PDB file of all heavy atoms in Angstrom:
ATOM      1  N   ARG A  19     -13.686  -3.029  13.566  1.00 98.00           N
ATOM      2  CA  ARG A  19     -14.613  -3.767  12.720  1.00 98.00           C
ATOM      3  C   ARG A  19     -15.605  -4.555  13.680  1.00 98.00           C
ATOM      4  O   ARG A  19     -16.081  -3.916  14.598  1.00 98.00           O
ATOM      5  CB  ARG A  19     -13.992  -4.752  11.786  1.00 98.00           C
ATOM      6  CG  ARG A  19     -13.202  -4.068  10.672  1.00 98.00           C
ATOM      7  CD  ARG A  19     -14.041  -3.599   9.564  1.00 98.00           C
ATOM      8  NE  ARG A  19     -13.367  -3.252   8.368  1.00 98.00           N
ATOM      9  CZ  ARG A  19     -13.941  -2.633   7.286  1.00 98.00           C
ATOM     10  NH1 ARG A  19     -15.194  -2.218   7.346  1.00 98.00           N
ATOM     11  NH2 ARG A  19     -13.214  -2.262   6.276  1.00 98.00           N
ATOM     12  N   ASN A  20     -15.811  -5.848  13.500  1.00 98.00           N
ATOM     13  CA  ASN A  20     -16.741  -6.616  14.315  1.00 98.00           C
ATOM     14  C   ASN A  20     -16.113  -7.117  15.566  1.00 98.00           C
ATOM     15  O   ASN A  20     -16.629  -7.998  16.228  1.00 98.00           O
ATOM     16  CB  ASN A  20     -17.537  -7.605  13.563  1.00 98.00           C
ATOM     17  CG  ASN A  20     -16.676  -8.762  13.090  1.00 98.00           C
ATOM     18  OD1 ASN A  20     -15.509  -8.579  12.920  1.00 98.00           O
ATOM     19  ND2 ASN A  20     -17.269  -9.914  12.926  1.00 98.00           N
ATOM     20  N   TYR A  21     -14.862  -6.743  15.957  1.00 98.00           N
ATOM     21  CA  TYR A  21     -14.168  -7.276  17.123  1.00 98.00           C
ATOM     22  C   TYR A  21     -14.349  -6.186  18.269  1.00 98.00           C
ATOM     23  O   TYR A  21     -13.752  -5.099  18.189  1.00 98.00           O
ATOM     24  CB  TYR A  21     -12.633  -7.468  16.902  1.00 98.00           C
ATOM     25  CG  TYR A  21     -12.381  -8.602  15.911  1.00 98.00           C
ATOM     26  CD1 TYR A  21     -12.208  -8.418  14.564  1.00 98.00           C
ATOM     27  CD2 TYR A  21     -12.371  -9.920  16.421  1.00 98.00           C
ATOM     28  CE1 TYR A  21     -11.991  -9.518  13.734  1.00 98.00           C
ATOM     29  CE2 TYR A  21     -12.124 -10.927  15.557  1.00 98.00           C
ATOM     30  CZ  TYR A  21     -11.964 -10.766  14.196  1.00 98.00           C
ATOM     31  OH  TYR A  21     -11.754 -11.825  13.351  1.00 98.00           O
ATOM     32  N   VAL A  36     -10.126 -19.803  10.313  1.00 93.00           N
ATOM     33  CA  VAL A  36     -11.258 -20.531   9.723  1.00 93.00           C
ATOM     34  C   VAL A  36     -12.604 -20.067  10.266  1.00 93.00           C
ATOM     35  O   VAL A  36     -12.647 -19.627  11.424  1.00 93.00           O
ATOM     36  CB  VAL A  36     -11.039 -22.068   9.847  1.00 93.00           C
ATOM     37  CG1 VAL A  36     -11.013 -22.463  11.272  1.00 93.00           C
ATOM     38  CG2 VAL A  36     -12.052 -22.847   9.153  1.00 93.00           C
ATOM     39  N   GLY A  37     -13.621 -20.127   9.471  1.00 93.00           N
ATOM     40  CA  GLY A  37     -14.958 -19.675  10.035  1.00 93.00           C
ATOM     41  C   GLY A  37     -15.919 -19.520   8.846  1.00 93.00           C
ATOM     42  O   GLY A  37     -15.568 -19.471   7.651  1.00 93.00           O
ATOM     43  N   GLU A  38     -17.184 -19.390   9.203  1.00 93.00           N
ATOM     44  CA  GLU A  38     -18.213 -19.266   8.158  1.00 93.00           C
ATOM     45  C   GLU A  38     -18.091 -17.857   7.555  1.00 93.00           C
ATOM     46  O   GLU A  38     -17.343 -17.023   8.026  1.00 93.00           O
ATOM     47  CB  GLU A  38     -19.609 -19.443   8.732  1.00 93.00           C
ATOM     48  CG  GLU A  38     -19.730 -20.966   9.110  1.00 93.00           C
ATOM     49  CD  GLU A  38     -21.036 -21.204   9.838  1.00 93.00           C
ATOM     50  OE1 GLU A  38     -21.815 -20.349  10.031  1.00 93.00           O
ATOM     51  OE2 GLU A  38     -21.191 -22.412  10.268  1.00 93.00           O
ATOM     52  N   ASN A  39     -18.970 -17.555   6.618  1.00 94.00           N
ATOM     53  CA  ASN A  39     -18.856 -16.203   6.000  1.00 94.00           C
ATOM     54  C   ASN A  39     -19.322 -15.120   6.963  1.00 94.00           C
ATOM     55  O   ASN A  39     -20.039 -15.347   7.880  1.00 94.00           O
ATOM     56  CB  ASN A  39     -19.922 -16.155   4.836  1.00 94.00           C
ATOM     57  CG  ASN A  39     -19.476 -17.021   3.644  1.00 94.00           C
ATOM     58  OD1 ASN A  39     -20.281 -17.796   3.083  1.00 94.00           O
ATOM     59  ND2 ASN A  39     -18.168 -17.001   3.315  1.00 94.00           N
ATOM     60  N   ALA A  40     -18.753 -13.949   6.764  1.00 96.00           N
ATOM     61  CA  ALA A  40     -19.115 -12.771   7.539  1.00 96.00           C
ATOM     62  C   ALA A  40     -18.808 -12.895   9.106  1.00 96.00           C
ATOM     63  O   ALA A  40     -19.610 -12.335   9.878  1.00 96.00           O
ATOM     64  CB  ALA A  40     -20.587 -12.367   7.355  1.00 96.00           C
ATOM     65  N   GLN A  41     -17.832 -13.663   9.465  1.00 97.00           N
ATOM     66  CA  GLN A  41     -17.574 -13.775  10.924  1.00 97.00           C
ATOM     67  C   GLN A  41     -16.441 -12.896  11.390  1.00 97.00           C
ATOM     68  O   GLN A  41     -16.212 -12.609  12.611  1.00 97.00           O
ATOM     69  CB  GLN A  41     -17.188 -15.187  11.132  1.00 97.00           C
ATOM     70  CG  GLN A  41     -18.258 -16.205  10.878  1.00 97.00           C
ATOM     71  CD  GLN A  41     -19.628 -15.929  11.557  1.00 97.00           C
ATOM     72  OE1 GLN A  41     -19.618 -15.732  12.791  1.00 97.00           O
ATOM     73  NE2 GLN A  41     -20.677 -15.811  10.762  1.00 97.00           N
ATOM     74  N   GLY A  42     -15.511 -12.405  10.401  1.00 97.00           N
ATOM     75  CA  GLY A  42     -14.481 -11.511  10.806  1.00 97.00           C
ATOM     76  C   GLY A  42     -13.108 -12.037  10.405  1.00 97.00           C
ATOM     77  O   GLY A  42     -12.105 -11.512  10.905  1.00 97.00           O
ATOM     78  N   LYS A  43     -13.011 -12.982   9.494  1.00 97.00           N
ATOM     79  CA  LYS A  43     -11.682 -13.502   8.998  1.00 97.00           C
ATOM     80  C   LYS A  43     -10.925 -12.385   8.290  1.00 97.00           C
ATOM     81  O   LYS A  43      -9.756 -12.118   8.583  1.00 97.00           O
ATOM     82  CB  LYS A  43     -11.929 -14.698   8.109  1.00 97.00           C
ATOM     83  CG  LYS A  43     -12.654 -15.913   8.795  1.00 97.00           C
ATOM     84  CD  LYS A  43     -12.742 -17.047   7.992  1.00 97.00           C
ATOM     85  CE  LYS A  43     -13.517 -16.890   6.632  1.00 97.00           C
ATOM     86  NZ  LYS A  43     -14.943 -16.530   6.792  1.00 97.00           N
ATOM     87  N   THR A  44     -11.556 -11.818   7.274  1.00 97.00           N
ATOM     88  CA  THR A  44     -10.833 -10.762   6.494  1.00 97.00           C
ATOM     89  C   THR A  44     -10.559  -9.568   7.480  1.00 97.00           C
ATOM     90  O   THR A  44      -9.479  -8.903   7.309  1.00 97.00           O
ATOM     91  CB  THR A  44     -11.686 -10.372   5.288  1.00 97.00           C
ATOM     92  OG1 THR A  44     -11.944 -11.536   4.544  1.00 97.00           O
ATOM     93  CG2 THR A  44     -10.933  -9.330   4.397  1.00 97.00           C
ATOM     94  N   ASN A  45     -11.443  -9.255   8.374  1.00 98.00           N
ATOM     95  CA  ASN A  45     -11.217  -8.152   9.298  1.00 98.00           C
ATOM     96  C   ASN A  45      -9.923  -8.322  10.026  1.00 98.00           C
ATOM     97  O   ASN A  45      -9.219  -7.379  10.274  1.00 98.00           O
ATOM     98  CB  ASN A  45     -12.444  -8.023  10.274  1.00 98.00           C
ATOM     99  CG  ASN A  45     -13.744  -7.637   9.577  1.00 98.00           C
ATOM    100  OD1 ASN A  45     -13.698  -7.194   8.422  1.00 98.00           O
ATOM    101  ND2 ASN A  45     -14.839  -7.784  10.273  1.00 98.00           N
ATOM    102  N   LEU A  46      -9.718  -9.585  10.493  1.00 98.00           N
ATOM    103  CA  LEU A  46      -8.458  -9.790  11.172  1.00 98.00           C
ATOM    104  C   LEU A  46      -7.157  -9.588  10.324  1.00 98.00           C
ATOM    105  O   LEU A  46      -6.295  -8.909  10.731  1.00 98.00           O
ATOM    106  CB  LEU A  46      -8.560 -11.280  11.695  1.00 98.00           C
ATOM    107  CG  LEU A  46      -7.298 -11.739  12.515  1.00 98.00           C
ATOM    108  CD1 LEU A  46      -7.089 -10.896  13.725  1.00 98.00           C
ATOM    109  CD2 LEU A  46      -7.467 -13.199  12.960  1.00 98.00           C
ATOM    110  N   ARG A  60      -8.912  -2.317   2.313  1.00 92.00           N
ATOM    111  CA  ARG A  60     -10.316  -2.329   1.792  1.00 92.00           C
ATOM    112  C   ARG A  60     -11.006  -1.040   1.723  1.00 92.00           C
ATOM    113  O   ARG A  60     -11.910  -0.809   0.938  1.00 92.00           O
ATOM    114  CB  ARG A  60     -11.155  -3.212   2.748  1.00 92.00           C
ATOM    115  CG  ARG A  60     -10.801  -4.674   2.700  1.00 92.00           C
ATOM    116  CD  ARG A  60     -11.982  -5.569   2.986  1.00 92.00           C
ATOM    117  NE  ARG A  60     -12.262  -5.547   4.427  1.00 92.00           N
ATOM    118  CZ  ARG A  60     -13.019  -6.546   4.925  1.00 92.00           C
ATOM    119  NH1 ARG A  60     -13.650  -7.454   4.149  1.00 92.00           N
ATOM    120  NH2 ARG A  60     -13.214  -6.589   6.206  1.00 92.00           N
ATOM    121  N   PHE A  70     -19.253  -0.392  14.920  1.00 97.00           N
ATOM    122  CA  PHE A  70     -20.443   0.418  14.905  1.00 97.00           C
ATOM    123  C   PHE A  70     -20.710   0.903  16.346  1.00 97.00           C
ATOM    124  O   PHE A  70     -20.867   0.108  17.249  1.00 97.00           O
ATOM    125  CB  PHE A  70     -21.662  -0.320  14.356  1.00 97.00           C
ATOM    126  CG  PHE A  70     -21.457  -0.828  12.900  1.00 97.00           C
ATOM    127  CD1 PHE A  70     -21.919  -2.127  12.590  1.00 97.00           C
ATOM    128  CD2 PHE A  70     -20.758  -0.133  11.946  1.00 97.00           C
ATOM    129  CE1 PHE A  70     -21.772  -2.664  11.278  1.00 97.00           C
ATOM    130  CE2 PHE A  70     -20.561  -0.673  10.730  1.00 97.00           C
ATOM    131  CZ  PHE A  70     -21.081  -1.890  10.340  1.00 97.00           C
ATOM    132  N   ASP A 325      -5.883 -14.193   1.871  1.00 93.00           N
ATOM    133  CA  ASP A 325      -7.289 -14.042   2.186  1.00 93.00           C
ATOM    134  C   ASP A 325      -8.143 -14.833   1.126  1.00 93.00           C
ATOM    135  O   ASP A 325      -8.326 -14.432  -0.030  1.00 93.00           O
ATOM    136  CB  ASP A 325      -7.793 -12.599   2.256  1.00 93.00           C
ATOM    137  CG  ASP A 325      -9.148 -12.467   2.834  1.00 93.00           C
ATOM    138  OD1 ASP A 325      -9.589 -13.393   3.526  1.00 93.00           O
ATOM    139  OD2 ASP A 325      -9.769 -11.451   2.533  1.00 93.00           O
ATOM    140  N   ASP A 326      -8.672 -16.011   1.580  1.00 88.00           N
ATOM    141  CA  ASP A 326      -9.604 -16.715   0.776  1.00 88.00           C
ATOM    142  C   ASP A 326      -9.204 -17.013  -0.651  1.00 88.00           C
ATOM    143  O   ASP A 326      -9.980 -16.973  -1.584  1.00 88.00           O
ATOM    144  CB  ASP A 326     -10.846 -15.812   0.704  1.00 88.00           C
ATOM    145  CG  ASP A 326     -12.168 -16.717   0.598  1.00 88.00           C
ATOM    146  OD1 ASP A 326     -12.093 -17.900   0.894  1.00 88.00           O
ATOM    147  OD2 ASP A 326     -13.223 -16.091   0.224  1.00 88.00           O
ATOM    148  N   THR A 351      -6.884 -17.387   5.490  1.00 92.00           N
ATOM    149  CA  THR A 351      -8.260 -17.558   5.873  1.00 92.00           C
ATOM    150  C   THR A 351      -8.891 -18.561   4.871  1.00 92.00           C
ATOM    151  O   THR A 351      -8.513 -18.682   3.745  1.00 92.00           O
ATOM    152  CB  THR A 351      -9.106 -16.250   5.733  1.00 92.00           C
ATOM    153  OG1 THR A 351      -9.164 -15.840   4.328  1.00 92.00           O
ATOM    154  CG2 THR A 351      -8.374 -15.036   6.486  1.00 92.00           C
ATOM    155  N   CYS A 352      -9.923 -19.229   5.432  1.00 87.00           N
ATOM    156  CA  CYS A 352     -10.505 -20.301   4.694  1.00 87.00           C
ATOM    157  C   CYS A 352     -11.829 -20.665   5.284  1.00 87.00           C
ATOM    158  O   CYS A 352     -12.026 -20.519   6.488  1.00 87.00           O
ATOM    159  CB  CYS A 352      -9.493 -21.471   4.893  1.00 87.00           C
ATOM    160  SG  CYS A 352      -9.686 -22.790   3.834  1.00 87.00           S
ATOM    161  N   CYS A 353     -12.800 -21.074   4.472  1.00 82.00           N
ATOM    162  CA  CYS A 353     -14.111 -21.484   5.019  1.00 82.00           C
ATOM    163  C   CYS A 353     -14.069 -22.984   5.444  1.00 82.00           C
ATOM    164  O   CYS A 353     -14.677 -23.435   6.383  1.00 82.00           O
ATOM    165  CB  CYS A 353     -15.190 -21.215   4.092  1.00 82.00           C
ATOM    166  SG  CYS A 353     -15.529 -19.529   3.862  1.00 82.00           S
ATOM    167  N   ILE A 367     -12.955 -18.418  13.920  1.00 96.00           N
ATOM    168  CA  ILE A 367     -13.514 -17.102  14.135  1.00 96.00           C
ATOM    169  C   ILE A 367     -15.110 -17.182  14.083  1.00 96.00           C
ATOM    170  O   ILE A 367     -15.621 -17.677  13.070  1.00 96.00           O
ATOM    171  CB  ILE A 367     -13.063 -16.095  13.084  1.00 96.00           C
ATOM    172  CG1 ILE A 367     -11.511 -16.020  13.109  1.00 96.00           C
ATOM    173  CG2 ILE A 367     -13.705 -14.678  13.369  1.00 96.00           C
ATOM    174  CD1 ILE A 367     -10.910 -15.268  14.200  1.00 96.00           C
ATOM    175  N   ARG A 368     -15.797 -16.760  15.129  1.00 96.00           N
ATOM    176  CA  ARG A 368     -17.253 -16.721  15.048  1.00 96.00           C
ATOM    177  C   ARG A 368     -17.768 -15.355  15.673  1.00 96.00           C
ATOM    178  O   ARG A 368     -17.462 -15.109  16.799  1.00 96.00           O
ATOM    179  CB  ARG A 368     -17.792 -17.909  15.831  1.00 96.00           C
ATOM    180  CG  ARG A 368     -19.260 -18.192  15.514  1.00 96.00           C
ATOM    181  CD  ARG A 368     -19.854 -19.377  16.320  1.00 96.00           C
ATOM    182  NE  ARG A 368     -19.318 -20.621  15.769  1.00 96.00           N
ATOM    183  CZ  ARG A 368     -19.009 -21.737  16.445  1.00 96.00           C
ATOM    184  NH1 ARG A 368     -19.070 -21.625  17.770  1.00 96.00           N
ATOM    185  NH2 ARG A 368     -18.636 -22.866  15.924  1.00 96.00           N
ATOM    186  N   SER A 369     -18.441 -14.640  14.900  1.00 96.00           N
ATOM    187  CA  SER A 369     -18.969 -13.334  15.323  1.00 96.00           C
ATOM    188  C   SER A 369     -17.944 -12.435  16.103  1.00 96.00           C
ATOM    189  O   SER A 369     -18.251 -11.973  17.126  1.00 96.00           O
ATOM    190  CB  SER A 369     -20.194 -13.501  16.203  1.00 96.00           C
ATOM    191  OG  SER A 369     -21.110 -14.219  15.561  1.00 96.00           O
ATOM    192  N   GLY A 370     -16.824 -12.312  15.444  1.00 96.00           N
ATOM    193  CA  GLY A 370     -15.819 -11.445  16.069  1.00 96.00           C
ATOM    194  C   GLY A 370     -15.103 -11.981  17.376  1.00 96.00           C
ATOM    195  O   GLY A 370     -14.474 -11.302  18.165  1.00 96.00           O
ATOM    196  N   ARG A 371     -15.244 -13.316  17.587  1.00 97.00           N
ATOM    197  CA  ARG A 371     -14.544 -13.864  18.692  1.00 97.00           C
ATOM    198  C   ARG A 371     -13.708 -15.079  18.138  1.00 97.00           C
ATOM    199  O   ARG A 371     -14.149 -15.772  17.226  1.00 97.00           O
ATOM    200  CB  ARG A 371     -15.609 -14.553  19.757  1.00 97.00           C
ATOM    201  CG  ARG A 371     -16.264 -13.442  20.498  1.00 97.00           C
ATOM    202  CD  ARG A 371     -17.403 -14.126  21.370  1.00 97.00           C
ATOM    203  NE  ARG A 371     -18.268 -13.028  21.794  1.00 97.00           N
ATOM    204  CZ  ARG A 371     -18.052 -12.252  22.919  1.00 97.00           C
ATOM    205  NH1 ARG A 371     -17.104 -12.541  23.627  1.00 97.00           N
ATOM    206  NH2 ARG A 371     -18.919 -11.350  23.250  1.00 97.00           N
TER     207      ARG A 371
END
Side-chain angles (χ1 to χ4, degrees):
R19 292 280 194 191
N20 67 334
Y21 290 97
V36 60
E38 290 175 4
N39 294 135
Q41 301 304 309
K43 301 183 299 295
T44 303
N45 293 347
L46 180 58
R60 293 210 281 198
F70 301 142
D325 191 20
D326 211 15
T351 72
C352 193
C353 290
I367 305 286
R368 194 177 289 142
S369 305
R371 288 172 196 275

